[in-house]
Amino acid sequence: MKILRASRMERCIGCHSCSLACARLVHKRLSWNTAGIRISSAGGLSTGFEARTCVACNPAPCATACPTGAFSQRKGGGVKVDRSLCIRCGNCAEACPVEAIYIDPEESFPYVCIHCGRCVPFCPHACLELADADEGRQEYGGGQGTGTGRDHGGQ
Ligand code: SF4
Ligand code: SF4
């Protein structure tokens, strides 16, 4: 089982190509807010960017918090999503320790990375990769990988 890993965020230029690819190809939406991976400035004195996306918890607190089974444990970490079961209570987002679940304000539906890897080839600087679950999981204070943004040197 593979998981998405933002392992080279020091190369990120904040182009949001990954988010747009996810929103359009996976979630069939145009807003990059509805993507399973969202990019933002690292803040402070840093000029870099960080990726906020699922870190593939195993067990996943969001799945445990879901009362309907709309979010269920994915083998290897993270969650599977059955949109038809979602009652839009928001429990999943509250339970996520890295704020990786986005609740759309219009329809109150949760959006999360499903580790499909569709975003990976759209990154012009190869910041993202699919890694084996056992090797790829990392611990983060919030989201995945923060880069300085200084190394934009290709793939
Ligand atoms: S909002 Fe949907 S997916 Fe999230 S906990 Fe509630 S029912 Fe489950
Ligand atoms: S969405 Fe959040 S709580 Fe759920 S598996 Fe991913 S990081 Fe963990």
Side-chain angles (χ1 to χ4, degrees), residues 15-54:
C15 68
H16 298 277
S17 295
C18 52
S19 302
L20 286 171
C22 180
R24 294 183 62 177
L25 299 177
V26 180
H27 297 300
K28 314 298 182 194
R29 298 288 300 267
L30 288 177
S31 168
W32 62 42
N33 275 336
T34 60
I37 180 169
R38 285 167 285 140
I39 305 297
S40 60
S41 168
L45 296 176
S46 170
T47 56
F49 297 90
E50 69 175 19
R52 188 161 296 279
T53 189
C54 174

Side-chain angles (χ1 to χ4, degrees), residues 54-57 60-62 78 96-98 100-101 112:
C54 174
V55 295
C57 310
C62 58
C96 178
V98 295
I101 300 171
V112 69

